[in-house]
């Protein structure tokens, strides 16, 4: 269970408010598939704050291969910590975990959902996509889930070196990507928003 002190809650609320206050107004004709302010943060070389979204936008965390024993590798844990940070800032958004490739009887999505539940996320908020074996399948299967649930858009969470391919696959599947977050961009060294503070420490099964 993630334990928050009131001090951390106040600081994170202040960070969120500051981020919203400093988001520039989008000019006419701007590409709104990327939230205003995100490119500004990237240009400065600083991490981006998680965005605030409504219940029609899902947080989608992409899987990463499990070990032969069915445990999560560190890169997948990093993705989950970033996804959890995003989920905290968008408490109305459902969370889709996508990934098949089972090892020791456990799919990537099931391992991810178990981790999020251990972190204190309501299991009813988590949607498991357990059959995808590739990024293209992640996107196509997620697109089907979005249609079934009446969701309109997603925020992608994956590794930095995977994001361009993931965004392309989701665009090809007809999914509106309104934001993205990677573990490195969720890390503020000088502030208490550190992804290492989000979620439980993984243990061997």
């Amino acid at each position: 269970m993630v334990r928050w002190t009131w001090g951390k809650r106040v600081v994170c609320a202040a960070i969120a408010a500051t981020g919203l206050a400093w988001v520039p107004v989008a000019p006419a004709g701007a590409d709104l598939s990327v939230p205003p302010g995100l490119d500004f943060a990237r240009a400065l070389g600083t991490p981006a704050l998680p965005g605030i979204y409504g219940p029609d936008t899902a947080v989608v965390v992409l899987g990463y291969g499990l070990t032969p024993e069915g445990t999560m590798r560190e890169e997948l844990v990093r993705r989950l910590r970033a996804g959890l940070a995003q989920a905290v800032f968008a408490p109305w958004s459902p969370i889709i975990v996508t990934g098949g490739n089972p090892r020791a009887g456990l799919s990537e999505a099931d391992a991810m959902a178990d981790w999020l539940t251990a972190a204190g996320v309501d299991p009813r908020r988590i949607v498991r996509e357990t059959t995808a074996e590739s990024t293209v399948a992640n996107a196509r299967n997620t697109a089907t889930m979005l249609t079934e649930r009446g969701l309109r858009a997603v925020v992608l969470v994956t590794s930095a070196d995977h994001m361009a391919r993931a965004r392309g696959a989701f665009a090809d599947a007809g999914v509106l990507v309104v934001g993205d977050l990677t573990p490195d961009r969720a890390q503020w060294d000088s502030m208490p928003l550190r992804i290492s503070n989000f979620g439980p420490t993984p243990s061997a099964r």
Side-chain angles (χ1 to χ4, degrees), residues 125-199:
R125 188 181 174 190
I126 303 169
V127 181
R128 305 182 188 213
E129 189 293 294
T130 62
T131 63
E133 297 184 351
S134 67
T135 305
V136 170
N138 289 143
R140 290 176 178 171
N141 295 352
T142 298
T144 298
M145 289 182 162
L146 296 175
T147 300
E148 293 172 347
R149 290 164 173 77
L151 302 172
R152 74 170 191 90
V154 303
V155 179
L156 289 182
V157 180
T158 188
S159 306
D161 60 0
H162 184 231
M163 184 59 75
R165 182 155 56 97
R167 288 190 68 109
F170 275 75
D172 289 344
V175 176
L176 175 61
V177 178
V178 294
D180 62 52
L181 193 67
T182 62
D184 56 313
R185 287 196 291 109
Q187 183 83 0
W188 288 82
D189 291 333
S190 60
M191 298 184 184
L193 182 60
R194 300 177 65 87
I195 62 168
S196 59
N197 295 336
F198 284 80

Side-chain angles (χ1 to χ4, degrees), residues 8-188:
K8 279 189 177 180
R9 293 186 186 190
V10 170
V11 170
C12 284
I15 292 171
T18 302
L20 290 174
W22 282 96
V23 169
V25 176
D31 178 10
L32 296 183
S33 63
V34 178
L38 189 56
D39 284 339
F40 177 71
R42 288 173 178 166
L44 291 179
T46 59
L49 284 169
I52 299 175
Y53 301 92
D56 61 348
T57 299
V59 177
V60 179
V61 186
L62 277 71
Y64 189 90
L66 304 176
T67 69
E69 296 75 30
T71 58
M72 294 191 298
R73 302 179 193 274
E74 179 58 29
E75 187 58 28
L76 182 52
V77 175
R78 294 183 74 244
R79 292 183 187 184
L80 284 167
R81 293 191 191 282
L84 181 57
Q86 173 57 68
V88 167
F89 276 76
W92 303 278
S93 295
I95 305 167
I96 298 176
V97 288
T98 170
N101 301 303
R103 296 291 184 270
L106 190 71
S107 71
E108 294 167 13
D110 286 330
M112 296 159 73
D114 290 347
W115 187 95
L116 289 168
T117 300
V121 176
D122 186 337
R124 294 172 295 180
R125 188 181 174 190
I126 303 169
V127 181
R128 305 182 188 213
E129 189 293 294
T130 62
T131 63
E133 297 184 351
S134 67
T135 305
V136 170
N138 289 143
R140 290 176 178 171
N141 295 352
T142 298
T144 298
M145 289 182 162
L146 296 175
T147 300
E148 293 172 347
R149 290 164 173 77
L151 302 172
R152 74 170 191 90
V154 303
V155 179
L156 289 182
V157 180
T158 188
S159 306
D161 60 0
H162 184 231
M163 184 59 75
R165 182 155 56 97
R167 288 190 68 109
F170 275 75
D172 289 344
V175 176
L176 175 61
V177 178
V178 294
D180 62 52
L181 193 67
T182 62
D184 56 313
R185 287 196 291 109
Q187 183 83 0
W188 288 82

